[in-house]
Amino acid sequence: MIDRYAVIGNPIAHSKSPLIHSMFAAQTGQDISYEAILAPLDGFAATVERLRKEGYKGCNVTVPFKFEAYELVRELAERTPPAGAPTQRATNARAANTLKFHENFIDGDNTDGTGLVRNIERILGVSLHGKRILLIGAGGAAYGVALPLLLAEAHLFIANRTPEKADQFALHLGKLGHVVNVYNFPNEADRKQFDLIINATSAGLSNELPPLPADIFAPGALAYDMMYGRETPFMRFAREHGAQVADGLGMLVEQAAEAFYIWRGVRPDTAPIIAALRT
Ligand code: ATR
């Protein structure tokens, strides 16, 4: 029987994951199916249980269920040790976006940060080593990518509209052994410039721009918006102030490729798929 996978979210109709995974399957000769499943906001765990019972091999998890997915895997792991657990990547992010189903347990991983780093370093050709990075946001998207950025040996600054949440985020990273600086935009006295500015906020959804000073972009800076599909105010602002701009489509494909690798043990070639999705 064909191996079945899915992505669970709410909303989910817009998801490009079924298309991306079908392209991976065609490229690598893997016989799988992959569908988008809408779970009720209070029905994530029940949806996972249903998929497991129906024999699915795994699923991706998207907004707003990534934290819940992590908690679910953690709780199951406590009940059925030692098999099944969140990976270190999921634990660091406190969120899971890739579940692999086994008969009596579930593995949970988080491929978002790895996907972002791969996209920036391998596809966009920008090395993160020693770079000054400003990560804007302190929600799930930002938590998902912070550790992989730090592990790429970059100097990470974090900023958030609500400063208390940036402080909590810094504390969380501190507990994981990483010192990060909290940057208070927009009027910090010692103005700083960054080589990479990552928008991990949901401001673009409401067509808003996080409050950024115009001189925040170092010469040759890359501005990366984790959203995709259209130019956000952040992308426009960055372009108008001389930065190179990237949207989150590459990250989407890379995080999917990492999930595909976890499930199938085969790594798709992402560059042609990103290119095909852009046309
Ligand atoms: P996600 O899981 O997608 O990260 P989230 O947990 O709701 O979603 O987090 C949204 C992030 O976007 C938060 O950091 C939020 O800032 P606050 O903590 O101040 O709410 C940020 N955000 C949303 N709209 C914004 C805006 N217009 N300007 C700046 N930041 C914004």
Side-chain angles (χ1 to χ4, degrees), residues 63 67 137-142 160-162 165 200-203 206 208-211:
V63 175
F67 287 125
N160 193 49
R161 178 177 60 181
T162 309
K165 279 174 67 184
T201 76
S202 50
S206 45
E208 288 174 331
L209 176 69

Side-chain angles (χ1 to χ4, degrees), residues 1 33 68 80 85 91 101 107 113 138-139 153 164 170 176 184 192 204 206 212 216 226 267:
M1 201 175 78
S33 70
E68 209 178 326
T80 59
T91 305
F101 300 157
D107 288 326
E153 297 186 26
E164 296 75 32
L176 296 170
N184 296 308
K192 293 182 177 69
S206 45
L212 292 173
I216 199 164
M226 285 168 59
R267 209 174 271 290

Side-chain angles (χ1 to χ4, degrees), residues 84-264:
T87 60
Q88 195 60 47
R89 293 193 298 200
T91 305
N92 291 341
R94 300 189 316 191
N97 76 337
T98 304
L99 306 186
K100 186 172 180 179
F101 300 157
H102 305 269
E103 196 154 319
N104 297 314
F105 61 91
I106 303 178
D107 288 326
D109 204 337
N110 191 316
T111 65
D112 284 333
T114 303
L116 175 68
V117 168
R118 283 226 177 98
N119 182 227
I120 292 173
E121 295 208 309
R122 295 197 194 165
I123 303 287
L124 301 175
V126 174
S127 165
L128 296 176
H129 185 92
K131 293 285 167 60
R132 289 165 58 83
I133 302 180
L134 179 65
L135 176 61
I136 311 168
Y143 271 73
V145 300
L147 238 284
L149 291 169
L150 285 161
L151 294 175
E153 297 186 26
H155 303 296
L156 190 65
F157 292 71
I158 56 179
N160 193 49
R161 178 177 60 181
T162 309
E164 296 75 32
K165 279 174 67 184
D167 292 338
Q168 277 170 22
F169 189 17
L171 211 62
H172 168 73
L173 294 170
K175 283 187 195 147
L176 296 170
H178 294 273
V179 180
V180 299
N181 303 284
V182 175
Y183 172 78
N184 296 308
F185 55 48
N187 293 316
E188 191 169 89
D190 63 331
R191 303 291 281 248
K192 293 182 177 69
Q193 290 199 320
F194 296 92
D195 306 304
L196 172 62
I197 299 96
I198 301 170
N199 184 19
T201 76
S202 50
L205 288 176
S206 45
N207 223 21
E208 288 174 331
L209 176 69
L212 292 173
D215 57 359
I216 199 164
F217 305 100
L222 172 65
Y224 195 105
D225 201 315
M226 285 168 59
M227 284 188 55
Y228 62 88
R230 65 186 162 82
E231 189 179 62
T232 61
F234 168 77
M235 290 161 73
R236 197 173 321 124
F237 178 83
R239 189 168 43 74
E240 286 168 2
H241 291 91
Q244 287 182 70
V245 175
D247 70 3
L249 184 71
M251 173 182 170
L252 179 77
V253 174
E254 294 293 345
Q255 65 76 29
E258 184 72 7
F260 194 87
Y261 176 70
I262 289 167
W263 293 328
R264 311 300 303 175

Side-chain angles (χ1 to χ4, degrees), residues 42-51:
D42 61 354
F44 172 71
T47 305
V48 169
E49 202 40 41
R50 173 174 73 78
L51 297 189

